[in-house]
Amino acid sequence: MTLSQSTRYLLAAPLLAAPLVAILLPATYNKMEPTLFGFPFFYWYQLLWVVLTMASMSGAYFLVVQPTKSQKRGGPP
Amino acid sequence: MSSTLATEHFNGVALAVFTVLFLLVAVMGFLAARWRRPANLQHLHEWGLGGRSFGTFVAWFLLGGDLFTAYTFIAVPGLVFGVGALGFFAVPYTIMVWPVIFLFLPRLWSVSHRHGYVTTADFVRGRHGSRALSLAVAITGILATMPYIALQLVGIQVCLDVMGVGGGPETSWIVREMPLLVAFAVLAAYTYSSGLRAPALIAFVKDTLIYLVIAVSIVYLPAKLGGWENIFSAAGTSLAKTNPNTGKPFGGLILSQKQLWPYATLGFGSALALFVYPHAITAVLSTKNRNVIRRNTILLPLYTILLGLIALLGLMALAAGVKTGGNNSLSVPLLFQQFFPNWFVGLAFGAIGIGALVPAAIMSIAAANLFTRNIYREFISPNATPAAETQVSKLGSLLVKFGALVFVLVLDKSFAIQFQLLGGIWILQTFPALVFGLYTRWFHGRALLVGWLVGMVYGTTTSYFVPAPGKPGTHFGGQVAEIPLLGELGYIALTAFAVNVLVTVVLTPIFRALKVPEGRDETAADDYEAAAGDPGVAQELGELPSAVGTAHH
């Protein structure tokens, strides 16, 4: 897949912004119900966002970092 | 007063296990000088950055070490124990921090490796060509690190207290503080001799211990306390009780309407602050390749999950009816003491103690590097040899720790998190000069300096006038205050940061119009994208002396 650098950065931007925006709005998750495994929503929702953050960071990484770039430059992989 | 409850029992078994672990890492710390065979440890790049050779694996431990400190084990659960949901802001904080570092740290890595920068102030000096601004950044970094190290010392102290070696309230000051001073001396000694290699190597032991303790805690303790559902409901009941000091409930399982803004601003402010701390930058610059940092942000959120679960230990302590006598920092140590066999208590406290020592070492090294590079060599002795620089750094790391000791003895310790939040107020004021500088030279150096000053003064005075809850007349008791014009409560660091940016933005065009002299920018656009292996990117020690030589001209 060959995308231009600006396209790849543009695609990565929402991936990086999503965790910030979601977690910066505590009013959207400040509630007890529904519970999960005994955890009030407030707690499990935020922990869920940690996992989602890992996923979105992976996406951003593979978009922004071209694997061939450092090899082409002769640097370490 | 707070230690009367804690020091009823002297726990010999726990103390023995704790001491053995402590000695083990001390020996490792001294032996670390031999790790990865440095050509010459008497060089600041070796002592202070571990030869800049760390890959994804070591960097993960080292970066995680910046997060997993007494902050995680003592301060955050202590806050959750004291006020409930609000203390969980540490999770948003450690979620938001990853996108933030993904964006700006690779640029800092690149430009630093092109120009041989070791500290944030080095970069600011090179980018803005302003010695005054660089000095401001250096002083702020050293100052902000001290309460953060102080928090680590508090973490060690509460464990010692609970094991009954803190002495009663009647014993003299020196006897009570003696175990802490001993731990402190060991830390100082091996940092002095091995530099950054010591905490990097010890971090493996520390993390292994911590994972073990966490795994056991989150499986064993809920089982003992009747499951998560019971923990939440018992903690909720306990938090709803009226706090005799304030006449209001202690807190709740979710936020009150008034806590929404503090929750978001504490998280966001802390996230912006973390990676402008000198010690976090040290860890980043010690990696061997710019993408090591980005790759790490994929895996580092694992720490956040653990941090969230550890925060819940505060609720478990509530559910278990732990009595801390007003010192919330004791909640987790007392919880462990109540439920675990003595040998495991020793292991857990060892994990906390070592978990405090590692970052304290990294922090003091970073602050010392700032002192040496940006104050000593810049203003006192411009022609210092690398060996002399390293010597000054070593002594500086001792001085920073003594500064931290002063914070421990002076500030109110019932909410240890206030130490870290106070440091955050200060360090965040260096963000515009550093992070904005990575992207643009639009901001005028003098405007940045004035913005910094206004932010520092605003943040410090606002914090000074916040009393500790239920203790009118005290100072630096909390880091949340009303945001002017908005009427909501917010983390002072972020408000001060906004004021700082506003002043800088307004003054920049004014200074330009008045033709106030601007410093020379020694960096070029492609410096910020340079990768390992590119021309001019220092990677091995042997390549560095030329880069070091260019730093003072």
Side-chain angles (χ1 to χ4, degrees):
Chain A
M1 189 169 56
T2 49
L3 295 167
S4 76
Q5 180 166 317
S6 52
T7 315
R8 286 184 288 108
Y9 275 61
L10 212 64
L11 288 171
L15 288 175
L16 293 175
L20 283 169
V21 175
I23 218 72
L24 261 177
L25 299 169
T28 61
Y29 53 83
N30 189 34
K31 51 190 179 182
M32 296 289 289
E33 303 291 333
T35 58
L36 183 71
F37 307 122
F39 281 58
F41 183 76
F42 180 79
Y43 297 89
W44 69 256
Y45 176 80
Q46 293 184 71
L47 290 174
L48 175 68
W49 260 107
V50 183
V51 180
L52 296 177
T53 303
M54 292 174 82
S56 74
M57 298 306 288
S58 319
Y61 178 80
F62 288 111
L63 278 168
V64 167
V65 180
Q66 273 183 305
T68 49
K69 202 166 182 179
S70 67
Q71 287 159 14
K72 204 164 60 194
R73 287 177 176 186
Chain B
M1 41 141 226
S2 56
S3 47
T4 45
L5 286 159
T7 51
E8 278 164 14
H9 311 288
F10 173 75
N11 191 337
V13 177
L15 186 64
V17 175
F18 179 88
T19 310
V20 166
L21 285 172
F22 210 86
L23 288 176
L24 177 77
V25 298
V27 170
M28 278 182 73
F30 287 112
L31 292 180
R34 298 156 190 259
W35 186 36
R36 287 169 179 255
R37 284 163 289 128
N40 175 13
L41 199 58
Q42 294 309 314
H43 197 295
L44 203 52
H45 289 272
E46 283 299 334
W47 183 81
L49 289 181
R52 299 192 190 238
S53 62
F54 296 137
T56 308
F57 185 66
V58 180
W60 190 73
F61 280 99
L62 204 55
L63 286 166
D66 292 336
L67 269 183
F68 250 143
T69 71
Y71 176 83
T72 320
F73 258 106
I74 301 295
V76 171
L79 186 63
V80 171
F81 178 84
V83 302
L86 183 64
F88 214 61
F89 86 84
V91 170
Y93 154 32
T94 50
I95 286 176
M96 289 187 275
V97 75
W98 309 123
V100 170
I101 71 168
F102 187 96
L103 280 173
F104 82 81
L105 284 180
R107 289 177 76 82
L108 184 67
W109 187 96
S110 293
V111 72
S112 298
H113 280 68
R114 267 276 163 83
H115 292 273
Y117 301 145
V118 176
T119 68
T120 48
D122 283 350
F123 165 70
V124 168
R125 165 101 166 79
R127 175 63 151 171
H128 299 285
S130 164
R131 295 175 78 197
L133 189 59
S134 162
L135 180 65
V137 170
I139 290 173
T140 314
I142 295 167
L143 178 70
T145 301
M146 287 180 187
Y148 210 159
I149 297 175
L151 168 61
Q152 312 307 324
L153 297 178
V154 171
I156 298 171
Q157 197 173 30
V158 290
C159 290
L160 293 169
D161 258 7
V162 171
M163 286 188 289
V165 289
E170 308 83 34
T171 47
S172 73
W173 176 85
I174 194 74
V175 174
R176 252 186 309 135
E177 306 290 345
M178 187 50 85
L180 181 66
L181 293 176
V182 170
F184 179 80
V186 172
L187 161 71
Y190 71 66
T191 309
Y192 185 95
S193 79
S194 301
L196 193 62
R197 284 183 169 76
L201 192 59
I202 295 171
F204 293 113
V205 179
K206 168 202 161 214
D207 282 14
T208 311
L209 280 174
I210 282 178
Y211 294 142
L212 182 70
V213 172
I214 295 171
V216 171
S217 311
I218 60 178
V219 175
Y220 179 78
L221 290 175
K224 278 277 175 183
L225 291 164
W228 286 104
E229 212 154 327
N230 266 333
I231 291 170
F232 280 106
S233 79
T237 311
S238 176
L239 284 166
K241 285 182 191 150
T242 307
N243 182 343
N245 288 330
T246 60
K248 287 180 230 156
F250 284 97
L253 282 184
I254 58 171
L255 304 167
S256 69
Q257 280 304 308
K258 275 176 109 171
Q259 286 176 329
L260 291 173
W261 271 82
Y263 191 79
T265 53
L266 281 167
F268 191 51
S270 302
L272 291 182
L274 179 65
F275 275 89
V276 285
Y277 269 108
H279 65 275
I281 298 289
T282 299
V284 168
L285 294 186
S286 68
T287 58
K288 66 181 174 196
N289 164 338
R290 89 195 289 257
N291 286 325
V292 166
I293 308 153
R294 284 198 168 131
R295 207 173 306 140
N296 258 291
T297 61
I298 302 172
L299 290 173
L300 281 164
L302 284 173
Y303 279 115
T304 309
I305 294 183
L306 296 177
L307 181 144
L309 294 172
I310 297 168
L312 295 177
L313 289 175
L315 295 181
M316 291 188 210
L318 282 172
V322 164
K323 297 275 177 292
T324 60
N327 185 354
N328 296 300
S329 306
L330 290 167
S331 56
V332 167
L334 286 173
L335 177 73
F336 286 175
Q337 168 97 327
Q338 188 172 329
F339 284 97
F340 289 139
N342 285 335
W343 66 270
F344 195 81
V345 171
L347 196 77
F349 289 3
I352 299 176
I354 298 163
L357 284 181
V358 171
I362 301 175
M363 287 169 195
S364 61
I365 289 169
N369 284 349
L370 272 177
F371 177 77
T372 308
R373 304 267 307 187
N374 309 105
I375 298 176
Y376 176 75
R377 206 179 63 185
E378 189 73 36
F379 294 95
I380 301 170
S381 174
N383 296 317
T385 62
E389 268 187 30
T390 306
Q391 192 58 33
V392 170
S393 260
K394 288 175 162 190
L395 293 172
S397 80
L398 290 180
L399 285 176
V400 173
K401 292 194 202 77
F402 280 106
L405 213 49
V406 172
F407 276 93
V408 176
L409 299 173
V410 170
L411 289 186
D412 179 30
K413 278 179 273 186
S414 55
F415 280 106
I417 201 146
Q418 304 301 349
F419 287 75
Q420 193 264 357
L421 291 174
L422 179 61
I425 293 178
W426 291 326
I427 201 68
L428 197 54
Q429 306 318 314
T430 65
F431 192 95
L434 175 66
V435 180
F436 295 175
L438 287 171
Y439 292 90
T440 172
R441 256 310 299 267
W442 181 79
F443 297 97
H444 194 289
R446 291 281 169 82
L448 284 165
L449 187 63
V450 177
W452 166 82
L453 186 66
V454 174
M456 289 295 280
V457 171
Y458 174 84
T460 310
T461 51
T462 310
S463 169
Y464 179 81
F465 288 111
V466 178
K471 294 176 193 162
T474 57
H475 300 291
F476 295 115
Q479 314 306 338
V480 170
E482 194 180 301
I483 308 167
L485 305 178
L486 221 67
E488 297 280 356
L489 292 169
Y491 181 23
I492 296 167
L494 213 54
T495 317
F497 173 69
V499 173
N500 178 344
V501 173
L502 188 72
V503 169
T504 309
V505 168
V506 169
L507 286 182
T508 290
I510 296 177
F511 285 176
R512 289 256 156 75
L514 295 174
K515 302 228 176 338
V516 175
E518 274 189 82
R520 196 179 63 83
D521 180 4
E522 68 178 25
T523 67
D526 75 333
D527 288 349
Y528 296 87
E529 305 285 342
D534 282 1
V537 173
Q539 219 189 331
E540 299 294 331
L541 176 68
E543 301 172 37
L544 278 163
S546 63
V548 171
T550 60
H552 55 93
H553 40 189

PDB file of all heavy atoms in Angstrom, chain B residues 418-442:
ATOM      1  N   GLN B 418      -0.350  15.490  46.230  1.00  0.00           N
ATOM      2  CA  GLN B 418      -0.158  16.933  46.087  1.00  0.00           C
ATOM      3  C   GLN B 418       1.283  17.275  45.722  1.00  0.00           C
ATOM      4  O   GLN B 418       1.538  18.270  45.058  1.00  0.00           O
ATOM      5  CB  GLN B 418      -0.557  17.667  47.375  1.00  0.00           C
ATOM      6  CG  GLN B 418      -1.969  17.394  47.850  1.00  0.00           C
ATOM      7  CD  GLN B 418      -3.038  17.770  46.828  1.00  0.00           C
ATOM      8  OE1 GLN B 418      -2.757  18.426  45.836  1.00  0.00           O
ATOM      9  NE2 GLN B 418      -4.268  17.347  47.058  1.00  0.00           N
ATOM     10  N   PHE B 419       2.215  16.454  46.146  1.00  0.00           N
ATOM     11  CA  PHE B 419       3.622  16.679  45.810  1.00  0.00           C
ATOM     12  C   PHE B 419       3.803  16.669  44.292  1.00  0.00           C
ATOM     13  O   PHE B 419       4.399  17.556  43.706  1.00  0.00           O
ATOM     14  CB  PHE B 419       4.515  15.583  46.406  1.00  0.00           C
ATOM     15  CG  PHE B 419       4.697  15.671  47.891  1.00  0.00           C
ATOM     16  CD1 PHE B 419       3.695  15.302  48.752  1.00  0.00           C
ATOM     17  CD2 PHE B 419       5.905  16.095  48.421  1.00  0.00           C
ATOM     18  CE1 PHE B 419       3.876  15.369  50.118  1.00  0.00           C
ATOM     19  CE2 PHE B 419       6.096  16.158  49.784  1.00  0.00           C
ATOM     20  CZ  PHE B 419       5.077  15.798  50.644  1.00  0.00           C
ATOM     21  N   GLN B 420       3.279  15.598  43.679  1.00  0.00           N
ATOM     22  CA  GLN B 420       3.455  15.442  42.241  1.00  0.00           C
ATOM     23  C   GLN B 420       2.685  16.522  41.488  1.00  0.00           C
ATOM     24  O   GLN B 420       3.153  17.052  40.491  1.00  0.00           O
ATOM     25  CB  GLN B 420       2.994  14.040  41.825  1.00  0.00           C
ATOM     26  CG  GLN B 420       3.410  13.634  40.425  1.00  0.00           C
ATOM     27  CD  GLN B 420       2.316  13.880  39.405  1.00  0.00           C
ATOM     28  OE1 GLN B 420       1.215  14.311  39.755  1.00  0.00           O
ATOM     29  NE2 GLN B 420       2.614  13.612  38.151  1.00  0.00           N
ATOM     30  N   LEU B 421       1.500  16.865  41.979  1.00  0.00           N
ATOM     31  CA  LEU B 421       0.693  17.874  41.297  1.00  0.00           C
ATOM     32  C   LEU B 421       1.337  19.255  41.396  1.00  0.00           C
ATOM     33  O   LEU B 421       1.247  20.060  40.471  1.00  0.00           O
ATOM     34  CB  LEU B 421      -0.722  17.897  41.872  1.00  0.00           C
ATOM     35  CG  LEU B 421      -1.571  16.666  41.551  1.00  0.00           C
ATOM     36  CD1 LEU B 421      -2.909  16.728  42.287  1.00  0.00           C
ATOM     37  CD2 LEU B 421      -1.813  16.540  40.058  1.00  0.00           C
ATOM     38  N   LEU B 422       2.003  19.521  42.492  1.00  0.00           N
ATOM     39  CA  LEU B 422       2.717  20.791  42.653  1.00  0.00           C
ATOM     40  C   LEU B 422       3.866  20.878  41.648  1.00  0.00           C
ATOM     41  O   LEU B 422       4.048  21.880  40.963  1.00  0.00           O
ATOM     42  CB  LEU B 422       3.243  20.920  44.090  1.00  0.00           C
ATOM     43  CG  LEU B 422       4.045  22.182  44.417  1.00  0.00           C
ATOM     44  CD1 LEU B 422       3.199  23.429  44.227  1.00  0.00           C
ATOM     45  CD2 LEU B 422       4.585  22.126  45.836  1.00  0.00           C
ATOM     46  N   GLY B 423       4.618  19.785  41.534  1.00  0.00           N
ATOM     47  CA  GLY B 423       5.682  19.739  40.527  1.00  0.00           C
ATOM     48  C   GLY B 423       5.118  19.970  39.132  1.00  0.00           C
ATOM     49  O   GLY B 423       5.724  20.638  38.307  1.00  0.00           O
ATOM     50  N   GLY B 424       3.937  19.418  38.874  1.00  0.00           N
ATOM     51  CA  GLY B 424       3.286  19.554  37.575  1.00  0.00           C
ATOM     52  C   GLY B 424       2.977  21.002  37.226  1.00  0.00           C
ATOM     53  O   GLY B 424       3.093  21.418  36.070  1.00  0.00           O
ATOM     54  N   ILE B 425       2.582  21.780  38.220  1.00  0.00           N
ATOM     55  CA  ILE B 425       2.294  23.200  37.987  1.00  0.00           C
ATOM     56  C   ILE B 425       3.530  23.886  37.433  1.00  0.00           C
ATOM     57  O   ILE B 425       3.468  24.630  36.465  1.00  0.00           O
ATOM     58  CB  ILE B 425       1.856  23.890  39.295  1.00  0.00           C
ATOM     59  CG1 ILE B 425       0.509  23.352  39.756  1.00  0.00           C
ATOM     60  CG2 ILE B 425       1.802  25.408  39.108  1.00  0.00           C
ATOM     61  CD1 ILE B 425       0.029  23.949  41.072  1.00  0.00           C
ATOM     62  N   TRP B 426       4.654  23.599  38.050  1.00  0.00           N
ATOM     63  CA  TRP B 426       5.901  24.260  37.630  1.00  0.00           C
ATOM     64  C   TRP B 426       6.379  23.761  36.275  1.00  0.00           C
ATOM     65  O   TRP B 426       6.677  24.551  35.385  1.00  0.00           O
ATOM     66  CB  TRP B 426       6.981  24.063  38.708  1.00  0.00           C
ATOM     67  CG  TRP B 426       6.693  24.815  39.965  1.00  0.00           C
ATOM     68  CD1 TRP B 426       6.068  26.027  40.048  1.00  0.00           C
ATOM     69  CD2 TRP B 426       7.011  24.432  41.307  1.00  0.00           C
ATOM     70  NE1 TRP B 426       5.974  26.409  41.368  1.00  0.00           N
ATOM     71  CE2 TRP B 426       6.551  25.462  42.164  1.00  0.00           C
ATOM     72  CE3 TRP B 426       7.643  23.330  41.868  1.00  0.00           C
ATOM     73  CZ2 TRP B 426       6.701  25.418  43.546  1.00  0.00           C
ATOM     74  CZ3 TRP B 426       7.803  23.286  43.249  1.00  0.00           C
ATOM     75  CH2 TRP B 426       7.332  24.313  44.081  1.00  0.00           C
ATOM     76  N   ILE B 427       6.461  22.443  36.133  1.00  0.00           N
ATOM     77  CA  ILE B 427       7.088  21.920  34.917  1.00  0.00           C
ATOM     78  C   ILE B 427       6.262  22.259  33.679  1.00  0.00           C
ATOM     79  O   ILE B 427       6.804  22.451  32.596  1.00  0.00           O
ATOM     80  CB  ILE B 427       7.332  20.390  35.030  1.00  0.00           C
ATOM     81  CG1 ILE B 427       8.422  19.955  34.049  1.00  0.00           C
ATOM     82  CG2 ILE B 427       6.076  19.574  34.763  1.00  0.00           C
ATOM     83  CD1 ILE B 427       9.783  20.474  34.371  1.00  0.00           C
ATOM     84  N   LEU B 428       4.938  22.350  33.835  1.00  0.00           N
ATOM     85  CA  LEU B 428       4.104  22.628  32.665  1.00  0.00           C
ATOM     86  C   LEU B 428       4.386  24.012  32.080  1.00  0.00           C
ATOM     87  O   LEU B 428       4.113  24.262  30.905  1.00  0.00           O
ATOM     88  CB  LEU B 428       2.619  22.489  33.029  1.00  0.00           C
ATOM     89  CG  LEU B 428       1.647  22.338  31.858  1.00  0.00           C
ATOM     90  CD1 LEU B 428       2.057  21.197  30.942  1.00  0.00           C
ATOM     91  CD2 LEU B 428       0.233  22.125  32.352  1.00  0.00           C
ATOM     92  N   GLN B 429       4.960  24.893  32.887  1.00  0.00           N
ATOM     93  CA  GLN B 429       5.256  26.236  32.377  1.00  0.00           C
ATOM     94  C   GLN B 429       6.428  26.231  31.390  1.00  0.00           C
ATOM     95  O   GLN B 429       6.674  27.217  30.701  1.00  0.00           O
ATOM     96  CB  GLN B 429       5.516  27.216  33.529  1.00  0.00           C
ATOM     97  CG  GLN B 429       4.400  27.266  34.565  1.00  0.00           C
ATOM     98  CD  GLN B 429       3.006  27.255  33.941  1.00  0.00           C
ATOM     99  OE1 GLN B 429       2.738  27.971  32.990  1.00  0.00           O
ATOM    100  NE2 GLN B 429       2.110  26.407  34.473  1.00  0.00           N
ATOM    101  N   THR B 430       7.150  25.116  31.299  1.00  0.00           N
ATOM    102  CA  THR B 430       8.227  25.034  30.311  1.00  0.00           C
ATOM    103  C   THR B 430       7.732  24.429  28.996  1.00  0.00           C
ATOM    104  O   THR B 430       8.478  24.345  28.024  1.00  0.00           O
ATOM    105  CB  THR B 430       9.400  24.171  30.825  1.00  0.00           C
ATOM    106  OG1 THR B 430       8.952  22.818  30.983  1.00  0.00           O
ATOM    107  CG2 THR B 430       9.917  24.669  32.159  1.00  0.00           C
ATOM    108  N   PHE B 431       6.486  24.002  28.978  1.00  0.00           N
ATOM    109  CA  PHE B 431       5.921  23.328  27.800  1.00  0.00           C
ATOM    110  C   PHE B 431       5.973  24.190  26.532  1.00  0.00           C
ATOM    111  O   PHE B 431       6.384  23.706  25.477  1.00  0.00           O
ATOM    112  CB  PHE B 431       4.486  22.888  28.122  1.00  0.00           C
ATOM    113  CG  PHE B 431       3.874  21.938  27.142  1.00  0.00           C
ATOM    114  CD1 PHE B 431       3.910  20.563  27.347  1.00  0.00           C
ATOM    115  CD2 PHE B 431       3.219  22.408  26.008  1.00  0.00           C
ATOM    116  CE1 PHE B 431       3.333  19.685  26.456  1.00  0.00           C
ATOM    117  CE2 PHE B 431       2.632  21.531  25.106  1.00  0.00           C
ATOM    118  CZ  PHE B 431       2.683  20.169  25.323  1.00  0.00           C
ATOM    119  N   PRO B 432       5.544  25.488  26.608  1.00  0.00           N
ATOM    120  CA  PRO B 432       5.564  26.285  25.375  1.00  0.00           C
ATOM    121  C   PRO B 432       6.963  26.403  24.774  1.00  0.00           C
ATOM    122  O   PRO B 432       7.134  26.185  23.579  1.00  0.00           O
ATOM    123  CB  PRO B 432       5.035  27.651  25.834  1.00  0.00           C
ATOM    124  CG  PRO B 432       4.201  27.358  27.027  1.00  0.00           C
ATOM    125  CD  PRO B 432       4.893  26.222  27.715  1.00  0.00           C
ATOM    126  N   ALA B 433       7.954  26.716  25.609  1.00  0.00           N
ATOM    127  CA  ALA B 433       9.313  26.882  25.086  1.00  0.00           C
ATOM    128  C   ALA B 433       9.802  25.581  24.463  1.00  0.00           C
ATOM    129  O   ALA B 433      10.462  25.579  23.420  1.00  0.00           O
ATOM    130  CB  ALA B 433      10.258  27.324  26.195  1.00  0.00           C
ATOM    131  N   LEU B 434       9.469  24.455  25.094  1.00  0.00           N
ATOM    132  CA  LEU B 434       9.972  23.173  24.620  1.00  0.00           C
ATOM    133  C   LEU B 434       9.140  22.610  23.470  1.00  0.00           C
ATOM    134  O   LEU B 434       9.634  22.421  22.359  1.00  0.00           O
ATOM    135  CB  LEU B 434      10.004  22.177  25.785  1.00  0.00           C
ATOM    136  CG  LEU B 434      10.407  20.754  25.411  1.00  0.00           C
ATOM    137  CD1 LEU B 434      11.841  20.719  24.937  1.00  0.00           C
ATOM    138  CD2 LEU B 434      10.225  19.834  26.606  1.00  0.00           C
ATOM    139  N   VAL B 435       7.862  22.352  23.720  1.00  0.00           N
ATOM    140  CA  VAL B 435       7.063  21.606  22.744  1.00  0.00           C
ATOM    141  C   VAL B 435       6.637  22.489  21.565  1.00  0.00           C
ATOM    142  O   VAL B 435       6.725  22.062  20.417  1.00  0.00           O
ATOM    143  CB  VAL B 435       5.852  20.932  23.413  1.00  0.00           C
ATOM    144  CG1 VAL B 435       5.040  20.169  22.388  1.00  0.00           C
ATOM    145  CG2 VAL B 435       6.330  19.996  24.506  1.00  0.00           C
ATOM    146  N   PHE B 436       6.193  23.706  21.847  1.00  0.00           N
ATOM    147  CA  PHE B 436       5.856  24.579  20.727  1.00  0.00           C
ATOM    148  C   PHE B 436       7.100  24.803  19.873  1.00  0.00           C
ATOM    149  O   PHE B 436       7.029  24.878  18.651  1.00  0.00           O
ATOM    150  CB  PHE B 436       5.301  25.928  21.211  1.00  0.00           C
ATOM    151  CG  PHE B 436       3.990  25.830  21.947  1.00  0.00           C
ATOM    152  CD1 PHE B 436       3.418  26.961  22.533  1.00  0.00           C
ATOM    153  CD2 PHE B 436       3.310  24.626  22.068  1.00  0.00           C
ATOM    154  CE1 PHE B 436       2.208  26.893  23.213  1.00  0.00           C
ATOM    155  CE2 PHE B 436       2.105  24.546  22.752  1.00  0.00           C
ATOM    156  CZ  PHE B 436       1.554  25.673  23.328  1.00  0.00           C
ATOM    157  N   GLY B 437       8.239  24.897  20.579  1.00  0.00           N
ATOM    158  CA  GLY B 437       9.501  25.116  19.879  1.00  0.00           C
ATOM    159  C   GLY B 437       9.858  23.987  18.922  1.00  0.00           C
ATOM    160  O   GLY B 437      10.606  24.184  17.971  1.00  0.00           O
ATOM    161  N   LEU B 438       9.333  22.789  19.179  1.00  0.00           N
ATOM    162  CA  LEU B 438       9.623  21.665  18.288  1.00  0.00           C
ATOM    163  C   LEU B 438       8.934  21.830  16.934  1.00  0.00           C
ATOM    164  O   LEU B 438       9.314  21.204  15.959  1.00  0.00           O
ATOM    165  CB  LEU B 438       9.148  20.355  18.922  1.00  0.00           C
ATOM    166  CG  LEU B 438       9.967  19.814  20.089  1.00  0.00           C
ATOM    167  CD1 LEU B 438       9.263  18.648  20.737  1.00  0.00           C
ATOM    168  CD2 LEU B 438      11.350  19.396  19.603  1.00  0.00           C
ATOM    169  N   TYR B 439       7.896  22.673  16.910  1.00  0.00           N
ATOM    170  CA  TYR B 439       7.121  22.803  15.678  1.00  0.00           C
ATOM    171  C   TYR B 439       7.303  24.141  14.985  1.00  0.00           C
ATOM    172  O   TYR B 439       7.175  24.222  13.771  1.00  0.00           O
ATOM    173  CB  TYR B 439       5.624  22.588  15.978  1.00  0.00           C
ATOM    174  CG  TYR B 439       5.338  21.168  16.364  1.00  0.00           C
ATOM    175  CD1 TYR B 439       5.390  20.761  17.689  1.00  0.00           C
ATOM    176  CD2 TYR B 439       5.055  20.211  15.390  1.00  0.00           C
ATOM    177  CE1 TYR B 439       5.162  19.444  18.041  1.00  0.00           C
ATOM    178  CE2 TYR B 439       4.827  18.897  15.727  1.00  0.00           C
ATOM    179  CZ  TYR B 439       4.879  18.516  17.060  1.00  0.00           C
ATOM    180  OH  TYR B 439       4.669  17.210  17.394  1.00  0.00           O
ATOM    181  N   THR B 440       7.564  25.190  15.772  1.00  0.00           N
ATOM    182  CA  THR B 440       7.589  26.511  15.160  1.00  0.00           C
ATOM    183  C   THR B 440       8.556  27.456  15.871  1.00  0.00           C
ATOM    184  O   THR B 440       8.797  27.312  17.072  1.00  0.00           O
ATOM    185  CB  THR B 440       6.178  27.143  15.172  1.00  0.00           C
ATOM    186  OG1 THR B 440       6.270  28.495  14.738  1.00  0.00           O
ATOM    187  CG2 THR B 440       5.552  27.118  16.552  1.00  0.00           C
ATOM    188  N   ARG B 441       9.078  28.391  15.096  1.00  0.00           N
ATOM    189  CA  ARG B 441       9.885  29.452  15.679  1.00  0.00           C
ATOM    190  C   ARG B 441       9.082  30.753  15.736  1.00  0.00           C
ATOM    191  O   ARG B 441       9.627  31.823  15.900  1.00  0.00           O
ATOM    192  CB  ARG B 441      11.139  29.663  14.825  1.00  0.00           C
ATOM    193  CG  ARG B 441      12.434  29.109  15.392  1.00  0.00           C
ATOM    194  CD  ARG B 441      12.731  29.473  16.813  1.00  0.00           C
ATOM    195  NE  ARG B 441      12.887  30.899  17.094  1.00  0.00           N
ATOM    196  CZ  ARG B 441      14.032  31.534  17.089  1.00  0.00           C
ATOM    197  NH1 ARG B 441      15.137  30.925  16.826  1.00  0.00           N
ATOM    198  NH2 ARG B 441      14.072  32.819  17.371  1.00  0.00           N
ATOM    199  N   TRP B 442       7.757  30.648  15.575  1.00  0.00           N
ATOM    200  CA  TRP B 442       6.946  31.865  15.564  1.00  0.00           C
ATOM    201  C   TRP B 442       7.061  32.606  16.896  1.00  0.00           C
ATOM    202  O   TRP B 442       7.151  33.826  16.936  1.00  0.00           O
ATOM    203  CB  TRP B 442       5.478  31.532  15.283  1.00  0.00           C
ATOM    204  CG  TRP B 442       4.622  32.771  15.254  1.00  0.00           C
ATOM    205  CD1 TRP B 442       4.505  33.651  14.216  1.00  0.00           C
ATOM    206  CD2 TRP B 442       3.805  33.290  16.318  1.00  0.00           C
ATOM    207  NE1 TRP B 442       3.665  34.676  14.553  1.00  0.00           N
ATOM    208  CE2 TRP B 442       3.221  34.488  15.834  1.00  0.00           C
ATOM    209  CE3 TRP B 442       3.531  32.874  17.617  1.00  0.00           C
ATOM    210  CZ2 TRP B 442       2.362  35.261  16.618  1.00  0.00           C
ATOM    211  CZ3 TRP B 442       2.676  33.647  18.401  1.00  0.00           C
ATOM    212  CH2 TRP B 442       2.100  34.831  17.898  1.00  0.00           C
TER     213      TRP B 442
END
